[in-house]
Amino acid sequence: MNRIYLDHAATSPMHPEVVATFSEALGTVYGNPSSIHGTGRAARKKLDDARKLLADSIQAHDHEIIFTSGGTEADNTAIFGTAAKKEGKHIITTMIEHHAILHACEELERQGYDVTYLPVGENGRVRAEDVKNALREDTILVSVMMGNNEVGTIQPIAEIGELLKDTDVTFHTDAVQAFGILPIDVNVLNVDLLSVSAHKLNGPKGVGFLYQRKGTAVTPLLYGGEQERKRRAGTENVPAISAFAKAAEIALATMEEKTTAYEQYKTMFKDVLDKQNVNYKENGSHSMPHILNLSISGIEIESFLINLDLAGISASSGSACTAGSIDPSHVLVAMYGDKAVESRNSIRFSFGLGLTSETIKQAAEKTAQISQRLALK
């Protein structure tokens, strides 16, 4: 069976050119970039080239990029690093953040911090006005994700950045899902900190970066060597970072063409469901082009996912299956409430490398067939 992979928002396959870059660097760039000999300098050159490319991709300066092990470390550094550096005990975030943000904030609450979790409307968007109204004299940090990983909703980051730019409040955005999909200019957005992970854009797992605007105070999470200008100890993973840069280069060069294709995929997918009279609701609005989140009437989510998998379709639910029970998606609960059916029957289809119009139509047809079969039971 040829599988159809529609879970690119969870992780993405490495692009062949990225694999080639990674493999070559694994075999040839083995020096420690902190070493002063020729082998070390060769590794440093690879590291510097990657840093420049990634900095340019968000209109930042090279020295503002801190390489990390991925999005979770970047998010945690932003949250805990800001809290440790600044006076004040109040943080503002949203109810729909990734758990790398939410769980970090919950830990700070246990340490005596006060966290405001802003609500969203049924469209999945937070209002900049709500951020403004939540600000206090002791607010030190606002963290709002750029694009939601479950429903794809794009948040008003530039609007929030504008209202915070003349304050002492640090502004962080988790751009893990958006980088490589949406154009990003940190100066237009007025963000101080921004998190990115490579494996969402056809790069390797285990590598990412945190953009830290010059002058933004953040305490490191790790202590040891003086790598990354003393902001993140540990020898840099040069092959993975080189591959990350190659993935970003490809993603940025193909952004417009991908956006067009993914929007077409969304339309095709829904057209097939409509023709098969599948009763569904699309969740979220103003969404990123590669994420399609649907609530399908009359289905039991775990059975639906199993049947999709047996049919060769890899997709995700907004729900987390743990120990045989299904907890509702915290994102959809924030949008609709914990009693709403949408909180428990959502399916996320996300698009990326390797898909075609034909595979999208095949996946949609199988989805329609399974929906009709399960809804009859």
Side-chain angles (χ1 to χ4, degrees):
M1 181 195 308
N2 291 323
R3 297 196 64 86
I4 301 175
Y5 187 71
L6 298 177
D7 202 17
H8 292 259
T11 193
S12 61
M14 287 176 66
H15 191 286
E17 292 183 37
V18 175
V19 173
T21 298
F22 196 16
S23 298
E24 180 184 3
L26 280 172
T28 60
V29 189
Y30 51 85
N32 188 320
S34 295
S35 299
I36 62 172
H37 48 61
T39 307
R41 292 198 304 273
R44 171 60 60 182
K45 176 71 163 56
K46 285 283 188 183
L47 188 66
D48 289 346
D49 289 348
R51 195 187 307 275
K52 176 171 176 48
L53 188 150
L54 290 165
D56 289 347
S57 74
I58 59 171
Q59 308 305 311
H61 299 291
D62 299 10
H63 63 266
E64 295 175 315
I65 301 298
I66 305 170
F67 287 115
T68 69
S69 63
T72 294
E73 184 189 334
D75 282 346
N76 273 239
T77 301
I79 300 297
F80 292 115
T82 300
K85 199 72 174 179
K86 301 186 76 173
E87 294 184 4
K89 292 285 187 177
H90 182 232
I91 294 168
I92 299 170
T93 189
T94 80
M95 297 172 68
I96 62 167
E97 298 299 307
H98 190 278
H99 285 114
I101 295 294
L102 294 178
H103 289 169
C105 288
E106 289 166 8
E107 174 57 29
L108 285 179
E109 286 184 289
R110 288 188 283 271
Q111 297 178 21
Y113 285 79
D114 187 12
V115 181
T116 297
Y117 298 93
L118 297 177
V120 295
E122 286 197 1
N123 62 0
R125 297 192 90 204
V126 69
R127 300 192 312 164
E129 182 182 354
D130 289 342
V131 175
K132 181 178 180 180
N133 293 337
L135 290 171
R136 306 187 329 205
E137 288 187 3
D138 62 340
T139 304
I140 58 172
L141 173 69
V142 171
S143 181
V144 178
M145 69 191 336
M146 186 170 296
N148 184 262
N149 53 300
E150 288 194 26
V151 298
T153 309
I154 301 168
Q155 302 301 324
I157 301 303
E159 190 177 350
I160 297 170
E162 182 65 25
L163 72 88
L164 293 175
K165 72 176 183 179
D166 294 323
T167 72
D168 293 328
V169 178
T170 298
F171 184 28
H172 167 253
T173 188
D174 177 338
V176 166
Q177 202 62 240
F179 182 72
I181 296 291
L182 303 177
I184 297 174
D185 185 330
V186 293
N187 303 298
V188 171
L189 298 176
N190 286 301
V191 293
D192 303 303
L193 301 167
L194 179 144
S195 305
V196 171
S197 183
H199 75 101
K200 303 292 187 180
L201 63 145
N202 309 118
K205 296 175 180 63
V207 63
F209 72 75
L210 176 67
Y211 159 75
Q212 179 184 356
R213 183 181 294 279
K214 182 180 179 181
T216 300
V218 176
T219 295
L221 288 187
L222 303 178
Y223 292 86
E226 298 187 355
Q227 294 88 355
E228 300 302 295
R229 295 174 178 259
K230 302 182 181 180
R231 297 171 300 183
R232 199 274 187 179
T235 302
E236 294 93 346
N237 186 345
V238 177
I241 290 169
S242 295
F244 182 10
K246 172 55 73 172
E249 181 181 31
I250 295 169
L252 295 170
T254 59
M255 187 181 294
E256 186 174 342
E257 126 190 9
K258 288 186 303 183
T259 296
T260 300
Y262 298 161
E263 292 292 3
Q264 290 174 347
Y265 292 168
K266 279 188 181 183
T267 300
M268 289 176 191
F269 203 104
K270 291 184 289 186
D271 283 348
V272 171
L273 298 186
D274 290 337
K275 289 176 182 177
Q276 296 295 326
N277 297 314
V278 175
N279 187 8
Y280 69 90
K281 175 181 180 179
E282 184 173 357
N283 297 309
S285 65
H286 194 59
S287 295
M288 291 183 291
H290 70 304
I291 294 179
L292 176 64
N293 189 297
L294 303 176
S295 288
I296 301 176
S297 299
I299 65 165
E300 192 279 314
I301 195 66
E302 193 168 16
S303 296
F304 193 83
L305 285 172
I306 291 170
N307 276 268
L308 280 176
D309 190 39
L310 291 173
I313 300 170
S314 299
S316 290
S317 168
S319 305
C321 301
T322 55
S325 65
I326 295 182
D327 295 324
S329 155
H330 73 282
V331 173
L332 292 165
V333 166
M335 291 167 61
Y336 299 117
D338 60 359
K339 302 299 184 185
V341 66
E342 292 92 344
S343 299
R344 298 179 180 273
N345 69 353
S346 69
I347 303 288
R348 181 188 68 185
F349 301 98
S350 49
F351 312 129
L353 182 68
L355 294 173
T356 65
S357 296
E358 185 57 35
T359 56
I360 291 296
K361 289 177 182 177
Q362 290 174 14
E365 287 168 358
K366 290 182 179 180
T367 299
Q369 292 166 8
I370 294 168
S371 300
Q372 293 164 339
R373 185 173 72 246
L374 293 181
L376 291 174
K377 295 183 178 180

